Each structure stands twice: as C-alpha cells, then as structure tokens.
Amino acid sequence: MYYILDGHTPVETTDVLKWAEAFENVNRRVADTAIGGTRVSTVFLGIDHGFGRGEPLLFETMAFKGILDEDTMRCSTWDEAVA
C-alpha cells in the first residue's frame, strides 16, 4: 500500500519509516500548470488510492478553480501522470 519513488519509478515498501522519510524529502510534484484561471496540479501520492483493486493508483491530477474545480484523475505510472 505504501510506495516511494526511485527516480520516476514507484517502488512498494512495507517500511513505514522509510516511506515517511522519502515522502517528506522527495519532490513529489509531476506538474503544476495554469490554464486560464484554473490551476492543474499532478503529484505522486505515495499510497495506493486503488486500495488493492487492480493496478495501484499512485498519481493524482486535480484542477483548482474554474468549471473543473476539484475534478480529479488518478493513474499508476509517472508517464501516465505526465500525459
């Protein structure tokens, strides 16, 4: 359920202390873009938000403000998050 980044590759870990240290010290931001009055942010979550159902959902893109405010999309890999 816990993941750390090795470069752009998520790696599962059962060591919660290792996870917490990595989560605190690693840049988890994939992208942060302004489109008109909307901010779109993509980050590495570090926890599987699929909760063990299928591929782990480890990255989240969320819109802030505008007509898409709080719209969210989650995916499994860095490359999917960039796309």
Side-chain angles (χ1 to χ4, degrees), residues 11 15-16 18 24-25 29 34-35 37-38 45 47 55 57 61-64 73-74 79 83:
V11 177
D15 185 336
V16 176
K18 181 178 179 180
E24 185 175 288
N25 295 317
R29 184 161 314 281
I35 302 170
T38 301
L45 298 169
I47 296 176
E55 290 293 314
L57 299 177
T61 299
M62 182 177 273
F64 300 92
M73 185 176 82
R74 293 186 177 136
D79 289 342

Side-chain angles (χ1 to χ4, degrees), residues 18-41:
K18 181 178 179 180
W19 172 82
E21 182 179 320
F23 197 79
E24 185 175 288
N25 295 317
V26 172
N27 180 5
R28 300 178 302 110
R29 184 161 314 281
V30 176
D32 193 359
T33 307
I35 302 170
T38 301
R39 177 178 164 231
V40 180
S41 173

Side-chain angles (χ1 to χ4, degrees), residues 52-71:
R53 296 181 304 254
E55 290 293 314
L57 299 177
L58 303 172
F59 297 86
E60 178 178 86
T61 299
M62 182 177 273
F64 300 92
K65 297 193 178 180
I67 62 171
L68 298 176
D69 190 34
E70 297 186 20
D71 273 8

